[in-house]
Amino acid sequence: MDIFGNLVSGIANVATPENLLLLAAGVLVGMIVGIMPGLGPSAGIAILLPLTFQLEPAGAIVMLAAVYYGAMYGGTITSVLINTPGESATVASTFDGYPLAKQGRAGPALVMAAVASFAAGTIGAILVSVAAPALANLASNFGPPELFLLVLAGLIALVVIIGKNRLLGAISALLGFALATVGPAVGTGDQRYTFGSVELIDGIDFVPVAIGLFGLGEIFYTIYRGGHLEKPNRFSISLRTKGFWPNKKDFGESKWAMLRGSFLGFFVGTAPGAGATVASLMSYSVEKSISKTPEKFGKGAMNGLVGPEAANNAASAGAMIPLLTLGIPGSAATAVLLGGLLMWNLRPGPLLMEQNPEFAWSLIGSMYLGNVMLLVINIFFIPAFASIARVPFKILAPVVIVLCFVGTFAVNSSFVEVGIMLACGVLGYFMRRFGLSPAAMVVALVLGQIAEETLRQTMIISGGSFAIFIERGQSLILLAVMSVLIFVPIFAPRLARAVSKAITRNRLGPPSFKDGK
């Protein structure tokens, strides 16, 4: 069946009453999670994951994916109204969104952000429909050596791009790998680091770790930085207000920024480790650099809001490409989605679209329907979501903490896992405070077993020789990519400084000698 036929079939699978309700619920929950400062899609998916175990795999993943891209816009509401990004991907939306709100244009800003989200999400879904089958066919030729290198490349990209300190990022990833070694050894079944605990025989489940790091950890960190004491300015919004809807000038200023942000965000999102945060900041930089009126940026430029909004939503679609075709999560949120897929015995990777085409295309089809729902909900329920944004953090925090404990216990009725979740919550707080990366840790935990399994298979094939990694053409390409990821960030700043000095010398010209000096 061709791409169009598969897509139609996937949309039809989603368009059942049950799946449509799950999709709508996911979009709504994602919006609400995005509005809660400090949580974001990773925490929302992790907290809700235990509640989906009684659902069919397709419906559950459709709902969780809707939480993922729904949260992207939810964070925009707080960015515009109270100058507080719901999560890191909407930081760029505060630069011009909040100044627009202070000018009395909160309504047009939020409506244009909703339109940009819809356009970018739809463009992203179209590109996923085309690119995913092609990349899956290419990756189907990969063997264990290539899959192992892909895992390493994804982690290196995550460490390099996320966070300012790459050493701390690497330490975070190693912590995740360390947790992944608990339980049965791959190949032999020997128990490792269980300390006689029956609860740890199958290893440490990623659910309590993810809920602790992204749920409790974010709550603890927000309390530490004084988020429960903040009283930001708030703006009331009503659909009946004359200035609620954007005008022709807003659309005229934003249409090209919307398209640029959509394509830029998608391609940045496909790179493991880049994600929506990098895409939105890059889009803002691009729009400001090519604008004829760059002085308006930071003071209420509509294209300064629309470009990053389009980029972060397109990036969430682009992140599905490495997840579905390579089995490599590009962000913390997709790492949690990957964990959910593995728990339902669905192995993302090159064979997913061949062995489970109905599931894969249902997920892609849900992105089209989900974007339509988001557009309608975003525009007509803006006042309701603005009211949620006014709920004090001191009320939201206890609710989230209770959900963390209940959700963790509901998975396996294990008090040990509740303890692990609490310990990871404390760890998550210290990781945020001292610059480590919870995202890198969760991704490494999810990929740790895959990395160990593919490395063991590679060593069996090669008889224990690491030369196999340089004897295969595809492996050499991946090694070259990894080298670029490692060395370019190290030498690029030095090269830039050298070029800058050379340009400065040329502008000043050769030194002049006067009075014999």
Side-chain angles (χ1 to χ4, degrees), residues 45 49 52-53 57-58 60-62 64 206 320 323-325 327-328 334-349 352 356 359-360 363 446:
I45 296 171
L49 186 59
T52 64
F53 289 158
I61 289 297
V62 162
L64 294 175
F206 87 100
M320 292 293 181
L323 175 67
L324 292 175
T325 61
I328 296 179
T334 50
V336 181
L337 282 176
L338 174 59
L341 289 170
L342 295 175
M343 295 185 73
W344 283 300
N345 297 318
L346 292 167
R347 179 73 175 267
L352 178 67
N356 297 280
F359 167 80
L363 178 56
V446 173

PDB file of all heavy atoms in Angstrom, residues 45 49 52-53 57-58 60-62 64 206 320 323-325 327-328 334-349 352 356 359-360 363 446:
ATOM      1  N   ILE A  45       3.460  13.240  30.561  1.00  0.00           N
ATOM      2  CA  ILE A  45       3.398  11.883  30.012  1.00  0.00           C
ATOM      3  C   ILE A  45       3.780  10.862  31.072  1.00  0.00           C
ATOM      4  O   ILE A  45       3.151   9.809  31.206  1.00  0.00           O
ATOM      5  CB  ILE A  45       4.318  11.764  28.785  1.00  0.00           C
ATOM      6  CG1 ILE A  45       3.827  12.691  27.665  1.00  0.00           C
ATOM      7  CG2 ILE A  45       4.366  10.329  28.276  1.00  0.00           C
ATOM      8  CD1 ILE A  45       4.778  12.795  26.500  1.00  0.00           C
ATOM      9  N   LEU A  49       1.189   8.058  32.343  1.00  0.00           N
ATOM     10  CA  LEU A  49       1.479   6.746  31.753  1.00  0.00           C
ATOM     11  C   LEU A  49       0.843   5.586  32.520  1.00  0.00           C
ATOM     12  O   LEU A  49       0.247   4.689  31.908  1.00  0.00           O
ATOM     13  CB  LEU A  49       2.998   6.555  31.644  1.00  0.00           C
ATOM     14  CG  LEU A  49       3.473   5.292  30.924  1.00  0.00           C
ATOM     15  CD1 LEU A  49       2.945   5.249  29.498  1.00  0.00           C
ATOM     16  CD2 LEU A  49       4.997   5.229  30.923  1.00  0.00           C
ATOM     17  N   THR A  52      -2.771   4.652  31.603  1.00  0.00           N
ATOM     18  CA  THR A  52      -3.101   4.162  30.260  1.00  0.00           C
ATOM     19  C   THR A  52      -2.883   2.661  30.096  1.00  0.00           C
ATOM     20  O   THR A  52      -3.103   2.128  29.006  1.00  0.00           O
ATOM     21  CB  THR A  52      -2.259   4.897  29.201  1.00  0.00           C
ATOM     22  OG1 THR A  52      -0.867   4.588  29.406  1.00  0.00           O
ATOM     23  CG2 THR A  52      -2.455   6.394  29.290  1.00  0.00           C
ATOM     24  N   PHE A  53      -2.444   1.978  31.147  1.00  0.00           N
ATOM     25  CA  PHE A  53      -2.101   0.565  31.003  1.00  0.00           C
ATOM     26  C   PHE A  53      -3.319  -0.312  30.722  1.00  0.00           C
ATOM     27  O   PHE A  53      -3.177  -1.425  30.218  1.00  0.00           O
ATOM     28  CB  PHE A  53      -1.374   0.055  32.255  1.00  0.00           C
ATOM     29  CG  PHE A  53       0.019   0.588  32.388  1.00  0.00           C
ATOM     30  CD1 PHE A  53       0.651   0.615  33.620  1.00  0.00           C
ATOM     31  CD2 PHE A  53       0.708   1.077  31.297  1.00  0.00           C
ATOM     32  CE1 PHE A  53       1.937   1.106  33.750  1.00  0.00           C
ATOM     33  CE2 PHE A  53       1.984   1.575  31.419  1.00  0.00           C
ATOM     34  CZ  PHE A  53       2.602   1.592  32.648  1.00  0.00           C
ATOM     35  N   PRO A  57      -2.969  -0.506  23.144  1.00  0.00           N
ATOM     36  CA  PRO A  57      -1.721   0.218  22.884  1.00  0.00           C
ATOM     37  C   PRO A  57      -1.882   1.409  21.945  1.00  0.00           C
ATOM     38  O   PRO A  57      -1.344   2.481  22.202  1.00  0.00           O
ATOM     39  CB  PRO A  57      -0.817  -0.856  22.273  1.00  0.00           C
ATOM     40  CG  PRO A  57      -1.325  -2.138  22.837  1.00  0.00           C
ATOM     41  CD  PRO A  57      -2.806  -1.963  22.971  1.00  0.00           C
ATOM     42  N   ALA A  58      -2.637   1.241  20.851  1.00  0.00           N
ATOM     43  CA  ALA A  58      -2.788   2.332  19.889  1.00  0.00           C
ATOM     44  C   ALA A  58      -3.474   3.532  20.533  1.00  0.00           C
ATOM     45  O   ALA A  58      -3.011   4.679  20.403  1.00  0.00           O
ATOM     46  CB  ALA A  58      -3.582   1.861  18.671  1.00  0.00           C
ATOM     47  N   ALA A  60      -3.679   4.262  23.724  1.00  0.00           N
ATOM     48  CA  ALA A  60      -2.852   4.827  24.786  1.00  0.00           C
ATOM     49  C   ALA A  60      -1.760   5.727  24.218  1.00  0.00           C
ATOM     50  O   ALA A  60      -1.537   6.844  24.711  1.00  0.00           O
ATOM     51  CB  ALA A  60      -2.232   3.695  25.611  1.00  0.00           C
ATOM     52  N   ILE A  61      -1.058   5.258  23.172  1.00  0.00           N
ATOM     53  CA  ILE A  61       0.017   6.058  22.601  1.00  0.00           C
ATOM     54  C   ILE A  61      -0.534   7.288  21.895  1.00  0.00           C
ATOM     55  O   ILE A  61       0.067   8.368  21.928  1.00  0.00           O
ATOM     56  CB  ILE A  61       0.861   5.198  21.633  1.00  0.00           C
ATOM     57  CG1 ILE A  61       1.673   4.178  22.430  1.00  0.00           C
ATOM     58  CG2 ILE A  61       1.801   6.057  20.812  1.00  0.00           C
ATOM     59  CD1 ILE A  61       2.693   4.790  23.379  1.00  0.00           C
ATOM     60  N   VAL A  62      -1.690   7.156  21.253  1.00  0.00           N
ATOM     61  CA  VAL A  62      -2.324   8.321  20.633  1.00  0.00           C
ATOM     62  C   VAL A  62      -2.601   9.389  21.689  1.00  0.00           C
ATOM     63  O   VAL A  62      -2.362  10.587  21.483  1.00  0.00           O
ATOM     64  CB  VAL A  62      -3.628   7.909  19.908  1.00  0.00           C
ATOM     65  CG1 VAL A  62      -4.508   9.116  19.645  1.00  0.00           C
ATOM     66  CG2 VAL A  62      -3.302   7.198  18.604  1.00  0.00           C
ATOM     67  N   LEU A  64      -1.081   9.745  24.699  1.00  0.00           N
ATOM     68  CA  LEU A  64       0.155  10.276  25.252  1.00  0.00           C
ATOM     69  C   LEU A  64       0.861  11.189  24.258  1.00  0.00           C
ATOM     70  O   LEU A  64       1.454  12.209  24.648  1.00  0.00           O
ATOM     71  CB  LEU A  64       1.078   9.131  25.668  1.00  0.00           C
ATOM     72  CG  LEU A  64       0.576   8.272  26.839  1.00  0.00           C
ATOM     73  CD1 LEU A  64       1.514   7.107  27.082  1.00  0.00           C
ATOM     74  CD2 LEU A  64       0.432   9.102  28.106  1.00  0.00           C
ATOM     75  N   PHE A 206      11.461   2.433  34.236  1.00  0.00           N
ATOM     76  CA  PHE A 206      11.697   3.843  33.946  1.00  0.00           C
ATOM     77  C   PHE A 206      10.559   4.738  34.447  1.00  0.00           C
ATOM     78  O   PHE A 206      10.747   5.941  34.615  1.00  0.00           O
ATOM     79  CB  PHE A 206      11.884   4.041  32.440  1.00  0.00           C
ATOM     80  CG  PHE A 206      10.597   4.241  31.692  1.00  0.00           C
ATOM     81  CD1 PHE A 206      10.175   5.496  31.322  1.00  0.00           C
ATOM     82  CD2 PHE A 206       9.797   3.161  31.379  1.00  0.00           C
ATOM     83  CE1 PHE A 206       8.992   5.682  30.648  1.00  0.00           C
ATOM     84  CE2 PHE A 206       8.619   3.336  30.698  1.00  0.00           C
ATOM     85  CZ  PHE A 206       8.207   4.601  30.331  1.00  0.00           C
ATOM     86  N   MET A 320       9.334  12.636  16.182  1.00  0.00           N
ATOM     87  CA  MET A 320       8.733  11.318  15.980  1.00  0.00           C
ATOM     88  C   MET A 320       9.515  10.490  14.960  1.00  0.00           C
ATOM     89  O   MET A 320       9.414   9.260  14.950  1.00  0.00           O
ATOM     90  CB  MET A 320       7.284  11.469  15.502  1.00  0.00           C
ATOM     91  CG  MET A 320       6.347  12.049  16.539  1.00  0.00           C
ATOM     92  SD  MET A 320       6.125  10.929  17.935  1.00  0.00           S
ATOM     93  CE  MET A 320       4.979  11.878  18.931  1.00  0.00           C
ATOM     94  N   LEU A 323      12.273   8.454  16.638  1.00  0.00           N
ATOM     95  CA  LEU A 323      11.612   7.540  17.575  1.00  0.00           C
ATOM     96  C   LEU A 323      10.997   6.355  16.839  1.00  0.00           C
ATOM     97  O   LEU A 323      11.208   5.196  17.223  1.00  0.00           O
ATOM     98  CB  LEU A 323      10.535   8.288  18.355  1.00  0.00           C
ATOM     99  CG  LEU A 323       9.673   7.426  19.290  1.00  0.00           C
ATOM    100  CD1 LEU A 323      10.511   6.879  20.432  1.00  0.00           C
ATOM    101  CD2 LEU A 323       8.492   8.220  19.836  1.00  0.00           C
ATOM    102  N   LEU A 324      10.240   6.621  15.779  1.00  0.00           N
ATOM    103  CA  LEU A 324       9.522   5.558  15.079  1.00  0.00           C
ATOM    104  C   LEU A 324      10.438   4.718  14.203  1.00  0.00           C
ATOM    105  O   LEU A 324      10.269   3.501  14.104  1.00  0.00           O
ATOM    106  CB  LEU A 324       8.399   6.152  14.224  1.00  0.00           C
ATOM    107  CG  LEU A 324       7.223   6.788  14.976  1.00  0.00           C
ATOM    108  CD1 LEU A 324       6.255   7.426  13.992  1.00  0.00           C
ATOM    109  CD2 LEU A 324       6.493   5.744  15.813  1.00  0.00           C
ATOM    110  N   THR A 325      11.406   5.348  13.540  1.00  0.00           N
ATOM    111  CA  THR A 325      12.201   4.631  12.538  1.00  0.00           C
ATOM    112  C   THR A 325      13.502   4.059  13.066  1.00  0.00           C
ATOM    113  O   THR A 325      13.999   3.065  12.533  1.00  0.00           O
ATOM    114  CB  THR A 325      12.512   5.559  11.358  1.00  0.00           C
ATOM    115  OG1 THR A 325      13.275   6.687  11.824  1.00  0.00           O
ATOM    116  CG2 THR A 325      11.233   6.059  10.710  1.00  0.00           C
ATOM    117  N   GLY A 327      14.125   4.025  16.720  1.00  0.00           N
ATOM    118  CA  GLY A 327      13.989   3.636  18.119  1.00  0.00           C
ATOM    119  C   GLY A 327      14.828   4.478  19.048  1.00  0.00           C
ATOM    120  O   GLY A 327      15.150   4.059  20.161  1.00  0.00           O
ATOM    121  N   ILE A 328      15.186   5.697  18.618  1.00  0.00           N
ATOM    122  CA  ILE A 328      16.020   6.587  19.416  1.00  0.00           C
ATOM    123  C   ILE A 328      15.219   7.825  19.774  1.00  0.00           C
ATOM    124  O   ILE A 328      14.791   8.567  18.889  1.00  0.00           O
ATOM    125  CB  ILE A 328      17.291   6.998  18.648  1.00  0.00           C
ATOM    126  CG1 ILE A 328      18.160   5.772  18.389  1.00  0.00           C
ATOM    127  CG2 ILE A 328      18.073   8.056  19.415  1.00  0.00           C
ATOM    128  CD1 ILE A 328      19.420   6.066  17.624  1.00  0.00           C
ATOM    129  N   THR A 334       9.954  12.118  24.329  1.00  0.00           N
ATOM    130  CA  THR A 334       9.902  10.948  23.446  1.00  0.00           C
ATOM    131  C   THR A 334      10.587   9.738  24.090  1.00  0.00           C
ATOM    132  O   THR A 334      10.281   8.599  23.732  1.00  0.00           O
ATOM    133  CB  THR A 334      10.547  11.257  22.083  1.00  0.00           C
ATOM    134  OG1 THR A 334      11.831  11.851  22.276  1.00  0.00           O
ATOM    135  CG2 THR A 334       9.672  12.194  21.268  1.00  0.00           C
ATOM    136  N   ALA A 335      11.488   9.978  25.048  1.00  0.00           N
ATOM    137  CA  ALA A 335      12.063   8.855  25.795  1.00  0.00           C
ATOM    138  C   ALA A 335      10.999   8.176  26.640  1.00  0.00           C
ATOM    139  O   ALA A 335      10.952   6.944  26.749  1.00  0.00           O
ATOM    140  CB  ALA A 335      13.214   9.331  26.682  1.00  0.00           C
ATOM    141  N   VAL A 336      10.119   8.970  27.243  1.00  0.00           N
ATOM    142  CA  VAL A 336       9.018   8.392  28.017  1.00  0.00           C
ATOM    143  C   VAL A 336       8.053   7.655  27.100  1.00  0.00           C
ATOM    144  O   VAL A 336       7.561   6.571  27.432  1.00  0.00           O
ATOM    145  CB  VAL A 336       8.281   9.489  28.813  1.00  0.00           C
ATOM    146  CG1 VAL A 336       7.153   8.884  29.640  1.00  0.00           C
ATOM    147  CG2 VAL A 336       9.254  10.212  29.748  1.00  0.00           C
ATOM    148  N   LEU A 337       7.787   8.226  25.909  1.00  0.00           N
ATOM    149  CA  LEU A 337       6.949   7.535  24.932  1.00  0.00           C
ATOM    150  C   LEU A 337       7.576   6.209  24.513  1.00  0.00           C
ATOM    151  O   LEU A 337       6.889   5.192  24.365  1.00  0.00           O
ATOM    152  CB  LEU A 337       6.739   8.412  23.696  1.00  0.00           C
ATOM    153  CG  LEU A 337       5.716   9.545  23.805  1.00  0.00           C
ATOM    154  CD1 LEU A 337       5.716  10.367  22.522  1.00  0.00           C
ATOM    155  CD2 LEU A 337       4.322   8.993  24.061  1.00  0.00           C
ATOM    156  N   LEU A 338       8.901   6.209  24.310  1.00  0.00           N
ATOM    157  CA  LEU A 338       9.596   4.978  23.952  1.00  0.00           C
ATOM    158  C   LEU A 338       9.446   3.938  25.052  1.00  0.00           C
ATOM    159  O   LEU A 338       9.200   2.755  24.777  1.00  0.00           O
ATOM    160  CB  LEU A 338      11.082   5.263  23.702  1.00  0.00           C
ATOM    161  CG  LEU A 338      11.976   4.043  23.460  1.00  0.00           C
ATOM    162  CD1 LEU A 338      11.501   3.252  22.245  1.00  0.00           C
ATOM    163  CD2 LEU A 338      13.434   4.467  23.292  1.00  0.00           C
ATOM    164  N   GLY A 339       9.580   4.377  26.294  1.00  0.00           N
ATOM    165  CA  GLY A 339       9.395   3.449  27.408  1.00  0.00           C
ATOM    166  C   GLY A 339       8.002   2.845  27.407  1.00  0.00           C
ATOM    167  O   GLY A 339       7.820   1.658  27.670  1.00  0.00           O
ATOM    168  N   GLY A 340       6.991   3.670  27.114  1.00  0.00           N
ATOM    169  CA  GLY A 340       5.626   3.165  27.031  1.00  0.00           C
ATOM    170  C   GLY A 340       5.463   2.143  25.918  1.00  0.00           C
ATOM    171  O   GLY A 340       4.813   1.105  26.092  1.00  0.00           O
ATOM    172  N   LEU A 341       6.058   2.401  24.773  1.00  0.00           N
ATOM    173  CA  LEU A 341       5.984   1.462  23.650  1.00  0.00           C
ATOM    174  C   LEU A 341       6.604   0.116  24.019  1.00  0.00           C
ATOM    175  O   LEU A 341       6.060  -0.954  23.708  1.00  0.00           O
ATOM    176  CB  LEU A 341       6.696   2.050  22.427  1.00  0.00           C
ATOM    177  CG  LEU A 341       5.999   3.228  21.745  1.00  0.00           C
ATOM    178  CD1 LEU A 341       6.927   3.854  20.709  1.00  0.00           C
ATOM    179  CD2 LEU A 341       4.715   2.769  21.075  1.00  0.00           C
ATOM    180  N   LEU A 342       7.761   0.169  24.677  1.00  0.00           N
ATOM    181  CA  LEU A 342       8.429  -1.066  25.067  1.00  0.00           C
ATOM    182  C   LEU A 342       7.599  -1.850  26.079  1.00  0.00           C
ATOM    183  O   LEU A 342       7.582  -3.086  26.070  1.00  0.00           O
ATOM    184  CB  LEU A 342       9.811  -0.751  25.648  1.00  0.00           C
ATOM    185  CG  LEU A 342      10.828  -0.138  24.675  1.00  0.00           C
ATOM    186  CD1 LEU A 342      12.112   0.230  25.398  1.00  0.00           C
ATOM    187  CD2 LEU A 342      11.124  -1.105  23.532  1.00  0.00           C
ATOM    188  N   MET A 343       6.885  -1.155  26.958  1.00  0.00           N
ATOM    189  CA  MET A 343       6.055  -1.837  27.951  1.00  0.00           C
ATOM    190  C   MET A 343       4.857  -2.517  27.300  1.00  0.00           C
ATOM    191  O   MET A 343       4.304  -3.472  27.836  1.00  0.00           O
ATOM    192  CB  MET A 343       5.591  -0.843  29.020  1.00  0.00           C
ATOM    193  CG  MET A 343       6.741  -0.285  29.849  1.00  0.00           C
ATOM    194  SD  MET A 343       6.197   0.780  31.197  1.00  0.00           S
ATOM    195  CE  MET A 343       5.509  -0.427  32.319  1.00  0.00           C
ATOM    196  N   TRP A 344       4.446  -2.021  26.120  1.00  0.00           N
ATOM    197  CA  TRP A 344       3.356  -2.663  25.368  1.00  0.00           C
ATOM    198  C   TRP A 344       3.892  -3.626  24.314  1.00  0.00           C
ATOM    199  O   TRP A 344       3.181  -4.001  23.380  1.00  0.00           O
ATOM    200  CB  TRP A 344       2.479  -1.602  24.710  1.00  0.00           C
ATOM    201  CG  TRP A 344       1.539  -0.934  25.649  1.00  0.00           C
ATOM    202  CD1 TRP A 344       0.554  -1.532  26.389  1.00  0.00           C
ATOM    203  CD2 TRP A 344       1.469   0.452  25.983  1.00  0.00           C
ATOM    204  NE1 TRP A 344      -0.112  -0.610  27.155  1.00  0.00           N
ATOM    205  CE2 TRP A 344       0.427   0.623  26.923  1.00  0.00           C
ATOM    206  CE3 TRP A 344       2.171   1.582  25.574  1.00  0.00           C
ATOM    207  CZ2 TRP A 344       0.086   1.854  27.464  1.00  0.00           C
ATOM    208  CZ3 TRP A 344       1.826   2.809  26.109  1.00  0.00           C
ATOM    209  CH2 TRP A 344       0.802   2.933  27.036  1.00  0.00           C
ATOM    210  N   ASN A 345       5.181  -4.011  24.473  1.00  0.00           N
ATOM    211  CA  ASN A 345       5.816  -4.966  23.558  1.00  0.00           C
ATOM    212  C   ASN A 345       5.839  -4.474  22.120  1.00  0.00           C
ATOM    213  O   ASN A 345       5.749  -5.265  21.168  1.00  0.00           O
ATOM    214  CB  ASN A 345       5.121  -6.338  23.631  1.00  0.00           C
ATOM    215  CG  ASN A 345       5.240  -6.981  24.995  1.00  0.00           C
ATOM    216  OD1 ASN A 345       6.315  -6.943  25.605  1.00  0.00           O
ATOM    217  ND2 ASN A 345       4.160  -7.560  25.491  1.00  0.00           N
ATOM    218  N   LEU A 346       5.955  -3.161  21.945  1.00  0.00           N
ATOM    219  CA  LEU A 346       6.122  -2.573  20.622  1.00  0.00           C
ATOM    220  C   LEU A 346       7.521  -1.984  20.553  1.00  0.00           C
ATOM    221  O   LEU A 346       7.849  -1.061  21.289  1.00  0.00           O
ATOM    222  CB  LEU A 346       5.069  -1.490  20.377  1.00  0.00           C
ATOM    223  CG  LEU A 346       3.618  -1.971  20.255  1.00  0.00           C
ATOM    224  CD1 LEU A 346       2.658  -0.797  20.347  1.00  0.00           C
ATOM    225  CD2 LEU A 346       3.415  -2.716  18.941  1.00  0.00           C
ATOM    226  N   ARG A 347       8.362  -2.521  19.691  1.00  0.00           N
ATOM    227  CA  ARG A 347       9.760  -2.107  19.610  1.00  0.00           C
ATOM    228  C   ARG A 347       9.935  -1.102  18.469  1.00  0.00           C
ATOM    229  O   ARG A 347       9.946  -1.487  17.304  1.00  0.00           O
ATOM    230  CB  ARG A 347      10.652  -3.332  19.393  1.00  0.00           C
ATOM    231  CG  ARG A 347      12.128  -3.028  19.267  1.00  0.00           C
ATOM    232  CD  ARG A 347      12.732  -2.655  20.601  1.00  0.00           C
ATOM    233  NE  ARG A 347      14.162  -2.480  20.516  1.00  0.00           N
ATOM    234  CZ  ARG A 347      15.049  -3.446  20.752  1.00  0.00           C
ATOM    235  NH1 ARG A 347      14.626  -4.656  21.084  1.00  0.00           N
ATOM    236  NH2 ARG A 347      16.337  -3.213  20.668  1.00  0.00           N
ATOM    237  N   PRO A 348      10.031   0.189  18.785  1.00  0.00           N
ATOM    238  CA  PRO A 348      10.259   1.166  17.717  1.00  0.00           C
ATOM    239  C   PRO A 348      11.589   0.897  17.023  1.00  0.00           C
ATOM    240  O   PRO A 348      12.560   0.471  17.643  1.00  0.00           O
ATOM    241  CB  PRO A 348      10.289   2.506  18.458  1.00  0.00           C
ATOM    242  CG  PRO A 348       9.621   2.239  19.759  1.00  0.00           C
ATOM    243  CD  PRO A 348       9.927   0.827  20.100  1.00  0.00           C
ATOM    244  N   GLY A 349      11.634   1.145  15.764  1.00  0.00           N
ATOM    245  CA  GLY A 349      12.836   0.914  14.999  1.00  0.00           C
ATOM    246  C   GLY A 349      12.506   0.643  13.542  1.00  0.00           C
ATOM    247  O   GLY A 349      11.377   0.833  13.093  1.00  0.00           O
ATOM    248  N   LEU A 352       9.337  -1.452  12.729  1.00  0.00           N
ATOM    249  CA  LEU A 352       8.026  -1.124  13.303  1.00  0.00           C
ATOM    250  C   LEU A 352       6.981  -0.909  12.220  1.00  0.00           C
ATOM    251  O   LEU A 352       5.857  -1.412  12.318  1.00  0.00           O
ATOM    252  CB  LEU A 352       8.130   0.124  14.179  1.00  0.00           C
ATOM    253  CG  LEU A 352       6.801   0.599  14.807  1.00  0.00           C
ATOM    254  CD1 LEU A 352       6.302  -0.423  15.819  1.00  0.00           C
ATOM    255  CD2 LEU A 352       6.970   1.957  15.469  1.00  0.00           C
ATOM    256  N   ASN A 356       4.199  -3.633  12.440  1.00  0.00           N
ATOM    257  CA  ASN A 356       3.008  -3.042  13.075  1.00  0.00           C
ATOM    258  C   ASN A 356       2.572  -1.797  12.311  1.00  0.00           C
ATOM    259  O   ASN A 356       2.518  -0.690  12.875  1.00  0.00           O
ATOM    260  CB  ASN A 356       3.304  -2.682  14.538  1.00  0.00           C
ATOM    261  CG  ASN A 356       3.642  -3.887  15.381  1.00  0.00           C
ATOM    262  OD1 ASN A 356       2.763  -4.621  15.815  1.00  0.00           O
ATOM    263  ND2 ASN A 356       4.934  -4.077  15.605  1.00  0.00           N
ATOM    264  N   PHE A 359      -0.447   0.303  13.774  1.00  0.00           N
ATOM    265  CA  PHE A 359      -0.112   1.140  14.924  1.00  0.00           C
ATOM    266  C   PHE A 359       0.658   2.377  14.480  1.00  0.00           C
ATOM    267  O   PHE A 359       0.332   3.503  14.884  1.00  0.00           O
ATOM    268  CB  PHE A 359       0.714   0.348  15.932  1.00  0.00           C
ATOM    269  CG  PHE A 359       1.356   1.214  16.981  1.00  0.00           C
ATOM    270  CD1 PHE A 359       0.617   1.667  18.053  1.00  0.00           C
ATOM    271  CD2 PHE A 359       2.679   1.599  16.866  1.00  0.00           C
ATOM    272  CE1 PHE A 359       1.193   2.491  19.004  1.00  0.00           C
ATOM    273  CE2 PHE A 359       3.264   2.413  17.814  1.00  0.00           C
ATOM    274  CZ  PHE A 359       2.513   2.859  18.881  1.00  0.00           C
ATOM    275  N   ALA A 360       1.707   2.187  13.659  1.00  0.00           N
ATOM    276  CA  ALA A 360       2.557   3.304  13.252  1.00  0.00           C
ATOM    277  C   ALA A 360       1.750   4.371  12.507  1.00  0.00           C
ATOM    278  O   ALA A 360       1.865   5.568  12.783  1.00  0.00           O
ATOM    279  CB  ALA A 360       3.710   2.803  12.385  1.00  0.00           C
ATOM    280  N   LEU A 363      -0.685   6.337  14.695  1.00  0.00           N
ATOM    281  CA  LEU A 363      -0.014   7.402  15.440  1.00  0.00           C
ATOM    282  C   LEU A 363       0.209   8.622  14.556  1.00  0.00           C
ATOM    283  O   LEU A 363      -0.035   9.763  14.963  1.00  0.00           O
ATOM    284  CB  LEU A 363       1.316   6.886  15.996  1.00  0.00           C
ATOM    285  CG  LEU A 363       2.172   7.888  16.775  1.00  0.00           C
ATOM    286  CD1 LEU A 363       1.396   8.479  17.932  1.00  0.00           C
ATOM    287  CD2 LEU A 363       3.452   7.230  17.256  1.00  0.00           C
ATOM    288  N   VAL A 446      16.471   4.499  29.262  1.00  0.00           N
ATOM    289  CA  VAL A 446      15.621   3.796  28.303  1.00  0.00           C
ATOM    290  C   VAL A 446      16.462   3.067  27.262  1.00  0.00           C
ATOM    291  O   VAL A 446      16.154   1.943  26.861  1.00  0.00           O
ATOM    292  CB  VAL A 446      14.656   4.789  27.626  1.00  0.00           C
ATOM    293  CG1 VAL A 446      13.875   4.112  26.508  1.00  0.00           C
ATOM    294  CG2 VAL A 446      13.691   5.366  28.649  1.00  0.00           C
TER     295      VAL A 446
END
